[in-house]
Amino acid sequence: MKIPMSVDTSPSSSRATVFVVDDDASVRASVQDLLESVGLHVYGFATTADFVLHLQTQPPVGPACLVLDIRMPGQSGLDFQKSMAQLGVHLPVIFVTGHGDVPMSVQAMKHGALEFLMKPFREQDLLDAIQKAINIDQAHRVQVSERQALQSQWQQLTQGEQAVVRGVVAGQLNKQIAADLGVSEVTVKVRRGHAMRKLQLRSVADLVRWLDRLDAF
Amino acid sequence: MGMLKYSDRWRHQGWWLGMAVLVAVIAWVDTAMEQAVAAAVLYTLLILLALRKLSPRGVVAIMGICVLLTLGSCLWSLHSATPVGWINTIISLLAIVVTAYLGLRMKVAQSKAQAAQERLMQLTRVSNVGALGASIAHEVNQPLASIVTSGNACQRWLAQQPPQMERAHLALQRIQQEAVRASNVISRVRGMAKGDAPQLECVPLAPLVSEMMGLMQSSFDSQKIKVDNQVPTDMPDVWVDRLQLQQILGNLLLNAMDAVQTARERSVNLDALPCISVSAHVCSERQVQLTVMDTGTGLVPAVSEHLFDAFWSTKPQGLGLGLSLCRTMVEAMGGQIWAENRSDGVTGAQFHLSLPLAPETSS
């Protein structure tokens, strides 16, 4: 039997964290043990409330995902999944359940669950799902930080400069922009130069592409 | 069937005619009598009759009519030689309204009691073992999941260079603990399924059957199924566990009800009146045979073969434990259960129970 030594050794997932929420202490411990044996960083919780409390004090630094039991006393896994967005928890979810049925899995998938595994699950299924979840979360994190970078750059421009950039990208001549904004053509040229410098861009084509990326988010 | 419908309609019309006559008589007495008495109090009779037959809304309507008539005859008699008088009228109105109110309250309480009884019946129904089954499955599945996952983890700890003996050891320990936990669940279930030995006692059969039918009467009524208790009152007593026999009979009656309902849904067996009958006779020196007969869809060979198998059901929600448990219980009491199609030419099934006679009468 082939046993891969770890899920992934690439630097992107080296600090990957998996949260396991299952009320059954023994199932939780076994999943935690399995994931630790492949080199993942694992936190186990008996209730979703404990998990949320942990997130508030110690949000994950690297990519992370959540392995969630559906049937739990108190708040069920499905209910928690629905309230995750409200709580500001954006993690890929892998459901595990002892007694899944089709409507239940459909409901889970509709709310964006990544995988729905029946206990007892094949380890490879769980590890594959976790790998996928970690990758998704990683991509999500990259996207978020990229967006934040673009936005903070954009915020460095003054409102006048932003207006000029919008005009340039819309294909207007300096003269037209000046007329629209009610300023002199020289002012437009100065603002345009400032904006290009702040955004560290060389050509109008670069500027168009840059603004496209910002608007895409 | 046509005859029945006709006589039903006739009885229905007769009832309304009677009510109308009663209203007319009371109204006439109330208005035309020389003495100034509160004859309108008699309207309470109407209310009481209406309570027996009509829905709450109908009762309220009748009450409204009575109140209007009372007021009307009071107003009308103001101009005559013998006015009814306001005091009398108020007494009558109070009597009418209070009677209707109390009657309706009682009706509501009755229907609540009936609903509670039906729920109780549903609870005793053995197919409710479904919830129990799911919960047992969950109880066993959890340790199994833990064992499988721990086994995987253990393999991985051992495969590492150098092997992580400490962690592998812990995983193995967890496997052992969980295997014990699973086997504990199993032995708990086994204890439950075995149950206590039947408490055999002398039980008169006819009262037990009519008691059970009484419990389920409202369900039969709501599905318009006729039930017929043909157990002779002079049957010798049987030697059984009263509670278990009640459960078995209740289960057979519910099955019969479902079968009749299914026949109705599939529009088969329409020429037979929907009917469930229970009969009994002494079939040998030591045994009584109890039979539950229905006008359902009957049994096809493929079904009757598996009828008493555990986890085999023709019903979408059925768990397939009802008849299987019935057989276990009957056999524990020293009896037998079997089923066949009706032999009187009508489509439907009959379930037979043979039960031992009580010692006094068998010797």
Side-chain angles (χ1 to χ4, degrees):
Chain A
M1 189 188 200
K2 181 175 152 267
I3 302 173
M5 291 309 294
S6 73
V7 167
D8 190 357
T9 47
S10 72
S12 70
S13 64
S14 58
R15 282 178 299 129
T17 310
V18 180
F19 300 103
V20 179
V21 182
D22 195 318
D23 64 302
D24 191 303
S26 168
V27 173
R28 191 171 67 237
S30 64
V31 173
Q32 194 164 349
D33 198 22
L34 175 67
L35 299 183
E36 278 170 0
S37 74
V38 295
L40 286 161
H41 197 192
V42 190
Y43 290 99
F45 305 95
T47 64
T48 53
D50 288 351
F51 167 58
V52 171
L53 210 66
H54 172 91
L55 278 190
Q56 280 164 355
T57 51
Q58 262 182 277
V61 246
C65 72
L66 174 60
V67 177
L68 189 56
D69 185 23
I70 287 200
R71 177 153 144 175
M72 284 188 289
Q75 195 182 29
S76 83
L78 281 179
D79 289 342
F80 178 69
Q81 185 199 17
K82 279 183 218 160
S83 64
M84 270 173 63
Q86 281 176 351
L87 292 166
V89 182
H90 300 281
L91 287 175
V93 178
I94 295 155
F95 273 116
V96 289
T97 178
H99 71 314
D101 49 22
V102 173
M104 196 191 265
S105 55
V106 168
Q107 208 193 343
M109 290 302 185
K110 254 188 193 162
H111 283 93
L114 197 73
E115 194 66 77
F116 192 92
L117 300 174
M118 300 279 283
K119 286 182 199 170
F121 36 74
R122 288 178 46 221
E123 61 167 347
Q124 205 52 55
D125 291 346
L126 180 69
L127 294 179
D128 287 349
I130 284 177
Q131 178 71 66
K132 200 166 127 192
I134 296 286
N135 288 345
I136 286 175
D137 195 51
Q138 175 69 22
H140 177 71
R141 274 162 192 278
V142 168
Q143 213 180 20
V144 167
S145 66
E146 203 175 318
R147 180 177 63 208
Q148 279 168 349
L150 288 178
Q151 267 165 352
S152 76
Q153 265 184 309
W154 180 247
Q155 294 307 324
Q156 280 171 6
L157 305 188
T158 65
Q159 278 188 341
E161 286 163 356
Q162 286 178 358
V164 170
V165 168
R166 290 275 175 211
V168 172
V169 171
Q172 289 181 310
L173 301 173
N174 288 348
K175 212 188 300 176
Q176 291 171 305
I177 297 171
D180 282 353
L181 299 179
V183 294
S184 72
E185 211 176 321
V186 178
T187 312
V188 170
K189 277 183 183 163
V190 171
R191 285 181 183 174
R192 191 169 164 170
H194 282 166
M196 293 300 276
R197 217 171 15 258
K198 282 180 184 170
L199 299 178
Q200 296 169 327
L201 301 169
R202 286 165 188 276
S203 65
V204 174
D206 285 346
L207 184 64
V208 171
R209 270 201 296 277
W210 189 92
L211 201 67
D212 246 13
R213 273 169 63 213
L214 177 71
D215 288 343
F217 286 122
Chain B
M1 202 149 173
M3 281 294 287
L4 184 93
K5 270 188 181 161
Y6 180 75
S7 74
D8 261 6
R9 195 185 313 142
W10 199 87
R11 205 180 304 148
H12 192 67
Q13 283 171 349
W15 189 85
W16 280 107
L17 194 72
M19 289 287 278
V21 169
L22 205 55
V23 169
V25 169
I26 295 172
W28 179 75
V29 168
D30 190 26
T31 319
M33 252 206 349
E34 303 257 319
Q35 284 80 17
V37 290
V41 169
L42 294 174
Y43 281 127
T44 49
L45 269 179
L46 282 172
I47 305 276
L48 291 176
L49 285 173
L51 276 167
R52 289 179 60 117
K53 180 117 177 169
L54 298 182
S55 67
R57 196 176 287 180
V59 173
V60 171
I62 295 280
M63 186 193 82
I65 293 172
C66 291
V67 167
L68 285 178
L69 281 171
T70 309
L71 282 173
S73 71
C74 169
L75 290 175
W76 193 80
S77 72
L78 280 181
H79 306 288
S80 72
T82 54
V84 176
W86 285 110
I87 302 281
N88 280 341
T89 305
I90 289 169
I91 290 173
S92 303
L93 289 180
L94 265 179
I96 291 167
V97 172
V98 168
T99 307
Y101 173 71
L102 290 180
L104 283 175
R105 280 283 298 269
M106 211 153 83
K107 229 178 153 169
V108 168
Q110 266 169 1
S111 69
K112 267 189 192 157
Q114 214 172 48
Q117 224 168 36
E118 271 174 39
R119 267 206 304 282
L120 190 76
M121 272 312 301
Q122 286 300 324
L123 278 181
T124 45
R125 183 167 203 187
V126 205
S127 75
N128 263 27
V129 172
L132 187 69
S135 132
I136 293 169
H138 183 74
E139 288 285 304
V140 179
N141 207 30
Q142 292 291 90
L144 286 183
S146 174
I147 288 172
V148 172
T149 311
S150 298
N152 292 332
C154 181
Q155 267 182 325
R156 284 175 185 277
W157 290 122
L158 290 176
Q160 286 190 3
Q161 288 306 328
Q164 302 273 323
M165 299 309 279
E166 190 61 29
R167 298 298 300 255
H169 184 68
L170 285 174
L172 280 175
Q173 235 172 17
R174 201 166 44 237
I175 291 175
Q176 282 170 340
Q177 281 166 7
E178 289 310 289
V180 171
R181 175 178 160 201
S183 97
N184 281 345
V185 174
I186 302 279
S187 59
R188 255 199 341 260
V189 172
R190 200 175 277 154
M192 213 157 55
K194 199 164 62 184
D196 301 322
Q199 304 285 310
L200 299 179
E201 57 178 328
C202 249
V203 177
L205 202 50
L208 185 139
V209 171
S210 58
E211 199 178 296
M212 214 55 210
M213 285 185 160
L215 261 178
M216 301 170 65
Q217 193 63 49
S218 51
S219 312
F220 289 125
D221 285 349
S222 65
Q223 297 195 18
K224 297 200 170 52
I225 297 171
K226 191 170 159 254
V227 274
D228 201 359
N229 182 358
Q230 297 170 351
V231 178
T233 45
D234 58 350
M235 283 292 289
D237 293 352
V238 285
W239 189 244
V240 295
D241 182 317
R242 176 191 291 274
L243 210 67
Q244 290 192 353
L245 183 57
Q246 279 176 339
Q247 283 181 357
I248 294 164
L249 187 59
N251 203 50
L252 291 182
L253 287 172
L254 281 172
N255 278 347
M257 204 156 76
D258 286 347
V260 173
Q261 194 60 28
T262 310
R264 193 177 285 156
E265 278 161 16
R266 295 194 199 149
S267 306
V268 295
N269 204 8
L270 284 176
D271 45 338
L273 260 176
C275 174
I276 296 168
S277 64
V278 180
S279 58
H281 66 272
V282 180
C283 62
S284 75
E285 272 179 18
R286 291 172 290 108
Q287 288 199 311
V288 166
Q289 184 176 323
L290 182 76
T291 301
V292 178
M293 202 186 274
D294 64 46
T295 56
T297 47
L299 305 166
V300 294
V303 170
S304 43
E305 221 172 279
H306 299 284
L307 215 45
F308 297 98
D309 291 0
F311 303 113
W312 192 93
S313 181
T314 56
K315 298 168 195 173
Q317 263 90 40
L319 202 77
L321 279 179
L323 285 174
S324 156
L325 286 181
C326 279
R327 189 173 62 176
T328 312
M329 286 193 276
V330 172
E331 285 173 358
M333 293 189 277
Q336 277 182 313
I337 183 169
W338 69 101
E340 59 185 4
N341 277 316
R342 287 171 70 135
S343 47
D344 57 357
V346 182
T347 310
Q350 47 186 353
F351 282 78
H352 307 287
L353 288 176
S354 70
L355 300 166
L357 280 169
E360 298 94 332
T361 46
S362 64
S363 60

